[in-house]
C-alpha cells in the first residue's frame, strides 16, 4: 500500500530502505512517531519527539486508507515546517 501511494504521488523510492532508529538518530533530531507502538518503543531514546497518532492504513489495506494517512501526515508536516525557526532549518 505504501509503495502504491508513493507511485500515485510520483515519489521515487529508489534505494530507500528501512533502518532501525538507533542506526540513524542524531542528538539534535526531532523524531515524529505516527504510530502508537513506535511511540511507546522510543522510550527515552528520542528526547525531542512528537507523537501523531495516525490510523494504520494497513488495517484496511485500501488505497483510501493510505491516502487518508498521507493527507494527515502531509498537513501536519506542512504546519510543523512553518513553525520551525529559520536557524533550525539551516542546520
Amino acid at each position: 500500500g505504501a509503495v502504491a501511494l508513493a507511485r500515485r504521488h510520483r515519489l521515487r523510492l529508489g534505494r530507500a530502505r528501512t533502518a532501525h532508529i538507533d542506526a540513524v538518530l542524531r542528538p539534535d533530531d526531532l523524531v515524529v512517531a505516527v504510530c502508537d507502538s513506535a511511540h511507546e518503543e522510543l522510550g527515552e531514546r528520542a528526547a525531542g519527539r512528537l507523537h501523531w497518532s495516525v490510523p494504520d492504513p494497513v488495517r484496511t489495506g485500501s488505497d483510501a486508507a493510505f491516502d487518508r494517512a498521507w493527507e494527515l501526515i502531509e498537513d501536519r508536516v506542512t504546519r510543523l515546517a512553518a513553525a520551525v525557526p529559520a536557524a533550525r532549518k539551516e542546520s
Side-chain angles (χ1 to χ4, degrees):
V3 172
L5 174 101
R7 286 184 186 130
R8 287 194 301 278
H9 288 273
R10 294 183 172 85
L11 299 175
R12 288 189 234 157
L13 298 179
R15 297 181 187 173
R17 300 288 178 263
T18 60
H20 193 277
I21 191 167
D22 291 338
V24 296
L25 185 63
R26 297 178 307 206
D28 291 336
D29 285 347
L30 171 63
V31 176
V32 180
V34 297
C35 164
D36 296 338
S37 296
H39 173 67
E40 291 173 12
E41 287 179 28
L42 279 173
E44 296 302 317
R45 265 186 254 150
R49 70 172 186 229
L50 298 174
H51 176 220
W52 297 338
S53 187
V54 175
D56 185 356
V58 172
R59 289 187 182 159
T60 64
S62 70
D63 287 350
F66 279 90
D67 288 339
R68 181 66 183 137
W70 166 272
E71 291 164 2
L72 288 170
I73 294 169
E74 180 183 42
D75 175 63
R76 292 175 187 181
V77 167
T78 299
R79 289 188 286 133
L80 175 63
V84 174
R88 172 91 181 194
K89 289 179 184 176
E90 294 172 9
S91 54

